[in-house]
Amino acid sequence: MLDRLQGGDQDAELPPHQEQRRRYTRTGPTLAGDMALSLVVLSAAIMKADGRVTRSELDHVRAFFQQQFGGRHAAELLRVLRDVLKREIPLAQVCMQVRQHMPHPMRLQLMHYLIGLANADGRVEPSEEAMLRRIAHAIGISDKDLGSLSAMFRRPTADNAYQILEVDPKASDEEVKKAYRRMAMKYHPDKVGHLGEEFQQAAAEKFRKVQDAYERIAQARGIK
């Protein structure tokens, strides 16, 4: 996969960032290194989607990698990212591996990060929206979940409050309450307690967005 992009003797001793690329091709569950490489490849796919890579996108990725993996590992991954940005991205293979080996809560966190990356320069282009949908479908994220996650990045309104909770605006109060309980359970930070600090912070942020959405609806409806 990524090693084929690089070419050369796979058994030769590689620099750290090239060894990271080779590790992704190994079979087995997605571990920390595989997750890091998935982030690199999918980040590159989003960054290339509109035909330009911006400083705000690079800063967003750098900050996330530093918080998630630490300074030294982040620097290695950024070198891998710069290389991947110059090459054809093996998107289908990476998405298949993510879908097979990452549990659903982790995949939701991954999509949340990618949506944040698409929003990093202040606007999500249609080509970026299309790439987000393509990745979401390929890794087993539903349109409802994608819509809910995307709505969390928009200005709070009554409409996107319902979208965050994945419930119809015409739903009954009881249905709204059930939707809130379901979404609160889905996005509870404990679901990703075994991941790094940055993923836990993102989970807590999503959890707050769900709570805020419910509070806006409850206030508008007079739900007690």
Side-chain angles (χ1 to χ4, degrees):
M1 198 181 301
L2 295 183
D3 58 330
R4 288 198 294 272
L5 295 177
Q6 185 66 21
D9 184 358
Q10 292 184 16
D11 295 326
E13 184 177 351
L14 298 174
H17 62 289
Q18 293 183 21
E19 172 63 17
Q20 285 283 351
R21 280 196 292 274
R22 187 174 72 171
R23 285 178 60 196
Y24 191 85
T25 66
R26 298 174 184 170
T27 58
T30 297
L31 303 175
D34 299 324
M35 179 178 173
L37 280 230
S38 299
L39 284 167
V40 167
V41 174
L42 297 180
S43 294
I46 296 298
M47 295 168 77
K48 292 180 68 174
D50 61 356
R52 60 192 180 95
V53 177
T54 66
R55 172 58 58 183
S56 56
E57 289 172 336
L58 285 169
D59 289 344
H60 184 89
V61 173
R62 181 181 295 107
F64 183 87
F65 283 2
Q66 287 176 344
Q67 289 180 300
Q68 183 68 23
F69 303 109
R72 181 178 177 181
H73 193 184
E76 293 174 356
L77 292 173
L78 287 169
R79 286 195 291 272
V80 177
L81 175 64
R82 292 188 181 97
D83 184 65
V84 174
L85 284 168
K86 300 173 185 176
R87 303 175 184 273
E88 183 178 351
I89 295 174
L91 188 62
Q93 299 97 312
V94 172
C95 288
M96 179 176 65
Q97 184 133 341
V98 167
R99 183 167 186 162
Q100 289 176 343
H101 299 301
M102 281 188 184
H104 189 251
M106 190 184 296
R107 283 180 274 137
L108 288 172
Q109 286 297 113
L110 176 60
M111 281 309 307
H112 184 264
Y113 158 74
L114 293 173
I115 295 167
L117 175 56
N119 279 273
D121 53 8
R123 178 180 176 181
V124 180
E125 300 291 343
S127 56
E128 292 173 315
E129 290 182 356
M131 180 57 70
L132 288 169
R133 285 195 300 272
R134 180 181 173 187
I135 292 172
H137 294 165
I139 68 173
I141 299 298
S142 69
D143 286 335
K144 275 193 171 183
D145 280 337
L146 180 61
S148 174
L149 292 168
S150 299
M152 294 179 185
F153 289 88
R154 294 196 287 270
R155 182 175 60 86
T157 65
D159 286 342
N160 67 27
Y162 285 102
Q163 191 171 15
I164 288 171
L165 295 188
E166 298 181 6
V167 66
D168 193 286
K170 297 179 181 178
S172 68
D173 290 353
E174 188 58 34
E175 288 172 327
V176 169
K177 291 178 182 179
K178 288 181 180 178
Y180 166 64
R181 289 192 292 268
R182 182 179 67 251
M183 297 303 291
M185 183 176 298
K186 180 188 295 187
Y187 290 133
H188 197 282
D190 286 351
K191 293 281 188 179
V192 292
H194 59 293
L195 300 179
E197 179 182 353
E198 182 68 10
F199 270 102
Q200 293 172 25
Q201 290 176 354
E205 178 187 347
K206 293 203 306 298
F207 190 70
R208 286 193 297 271
K209 293 284 188 179
V210 168
Q211 290 178 313
D212 291 344
Y214 176 71
E215 288 172 4
R216 292 202 307 274
I217 294 172
Q219 184 175 10
R221 289 182 173 221
I223 298 175
K224 300 298 185 181

